[in-house]
């Protein structure tokens, strides 16, 4: 039943978004050249890997050690702020790699550091949006985000999904938490770092942004954005 709802929402959204997607593709092609689509391996349901699709937001490096931040184009920054770079993931939903609502898919190199409890996050299809996305997104730590996702899996219901959809619209209209403090998202804590799992934030509390720890491994903005 959930899969049928995912397909219905995706087809409707795709019909509406198709002209906008074609315009974005033309603008990317005109300003950055090809490729238009950024592909990256992510881990989905039951640990199955797939290629997630996004509109490209960064130009090619002009030299080997060029920092990532200057590579984000003005168009790319706009796409990120509005989350329009995520539109190609409608195809991931149609393919069955993802659902509309669920934990955001993470990188395989992050998944290998999951604890047994955290691997419960892989019990469902990853989603375009999810409980962690509307409760802080990238402004909160990975352990907190995973706990929010686990809470969603445990308390999943149609009413909760509708609430997440409504909150997603609010987040899209008033973007926040797209990147962590300093503009770069922290990586998943390495085994040498503390791995204690925090208490699950109460569903009624507002999750405040936290400063990313300086010791956390970091990945390029294009690679790690949820």
């Amino acid at each position: 039943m959930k899969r049928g709802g995912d397909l219905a929402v995706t087809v409707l959204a795709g019909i509406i978004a198709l002209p906008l997607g074609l315009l974005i593709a033309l603008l990317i092609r005109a300003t950055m050249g090809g490729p238009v689509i950024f592909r990256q391996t992510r881990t989905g349901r039951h640990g199955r890997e797939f290629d997630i699709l996004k509109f490209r937001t960064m130009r090619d490096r002009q030299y080997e050690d060029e920092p990532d931040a200057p590579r984000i184009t003005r168009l790319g920054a706009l796409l990120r702020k509005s989350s329009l770079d995520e539109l190609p993931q409608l195809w991931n939903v149609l393919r069955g790699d993802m659902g509309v609502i669920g934990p955001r898919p993470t990188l395989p190199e992050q998944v290998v550091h999951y604890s047994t409890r955290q691997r419960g996050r892989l019990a469902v299809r990853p989603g375009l949006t999810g409980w962690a996305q509307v409760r802080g997104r990238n402004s909160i730590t990975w352990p907190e985000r995973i706990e929010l996702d686990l809470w969603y899996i445990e308390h999943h219901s149609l009413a909760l999904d509708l609430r997440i959809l409504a909150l997603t619209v609010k987040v899209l209209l008033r973007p926040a938490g797209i990147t962590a403090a300093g503009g770069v998202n922290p990586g998943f804590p390495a085994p040498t770092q503390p791995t204690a799992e925090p208490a699950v934030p109460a569903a009624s509390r507002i999750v405040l942004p936290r400063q990313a720890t300086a010791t956390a491994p970091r990945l390029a903005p294009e690679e790690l954005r949820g």
Side-chain angles (χ1 to χ4, degrees), residues 28-48:
I28 293 173
R29 188 77 181 182
T31 57
M32 287 186 280
V36 169
I37 298 295
F38 172 76
R39 299 171 182 267
Q40 185 181 52
T41 301
R42 296 289 179 103
T43 302
R45 187 182 186 187
H46 303 321
R48 186 179 69 83

Side-chain angles (χ1 to χ4, degrees), residues 130-166:
W131 188 233
Q133 292 295 101
V134 299
R135 301 294 297 177
R137 202 172 179 179
N138 293 321
S139 64
I140 56 179
T141 66
W142 269 109
E144 288 174 314
R145 290 166 67 180
I146 292 173
E147 286 297 321
L148 287 167
D149 289 330
L150 292 173
W151 183 91
Y152 165 78
I153 293 171
E154 183 179 350
H155 296 85
H156 170 254
S157 67
L158 177 60
L160 180 57
D161 282 354
L162 293 176
R163 182 182 179 189
I164 291 172
L165 285 176

Side-chain angles (χ1 to χ4, degrees), residues 6-65:
D6 286 342
L7 291 174
V9 171
T10 302
V11 170
L12 178 60
I15 292 173
I16 297 173
L18 183 59
L20 178 59
L22 291 175
L23 175 60
I24 292 172
L26 290 173
L27 290 174
I28 293 173
R29 188 77 181 182
T31 57
M32 287 186 280
V36 169
I37 298 295
F38 172 76
R39 299 171 182 267
Q40 185 181 52
T41 301
R42 296 289 179 103
T43 302
R45 187 182 186 187
H46 303 321
R48 186 179 69 83
E49 295 182 359
F50 67 97
D51 285 342
I52 196 172
L53 307 179
K54 296 187 180 187
F55 279 125
R56 185 178 168 206
T57 59
M58 298 173 70
R59 61 170 172 77
D60 293 332
R61 283 187 172 86
Q62 295 180 343
Y63 52 91
E64 184 177 357
D65 296 325

